[in-house]
């Protein structure tokens, strides 16, 4: 999977748009969520989707913009 952020980067007011390919240090950067009374096999979660989106709301890209409405 490749995410094309070039169009977003060209928008006025967008400072940067980044996928996991742009920020490889975010791969495996987060611990798993803690759910009381549920055993979860230890793993490290990427801060951005890595090849496949696994749940609703999983971040795919990070956008930095001068206005929050431009980043959506």
């Amino acid at each position: 999977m490749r995410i094309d952020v070039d169009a977003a980067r060209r928008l006025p007011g967008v400072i940067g748009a980044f996928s996991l390919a742009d920020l490889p240090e975010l791969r495996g950067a987060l611990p798993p969520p803690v759910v009381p009374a549920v055993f979860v096999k230890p793993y490290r979660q990427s801060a951005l989707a890595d090849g496949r989106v696994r749940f609703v709301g999983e971040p795919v890209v990070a956008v930095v913009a001068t206005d929050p409405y431009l980043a959506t």
Side-chain angles (χ1 to χ4, degrees):
M1 172 183 83
R2 182 181 183 294
I3 299 169
D4 187 2
V5 294
D6 293 334
R9 289 176 176 154
R10 289 192 298 268
L11 291 172
V14 172
I15 297 167
F18 310 96
S19 68
L20 190 60
D22 300 312
L23 302 168
E25 62 272 14
L26 296 181
R27 181 173 278 112
L30 303 175
V34 176
V35 181
V38 175
F39 174 75
V40 177
K41 182 179 175 182
Y43 69 96
R44 300 296 289 182
Q45 181 175 325
S46 292
L48 298 173
D50 185 14
R52 177 173 52 172
V53 176
R54 291 180 170 79
F55 58 87
V56 173
E58 182 176 13
V60 177
V61 298
V63 179
V64 180
T66 57
D67 183 313
Y69 293 104
L70 290 170
T72 57

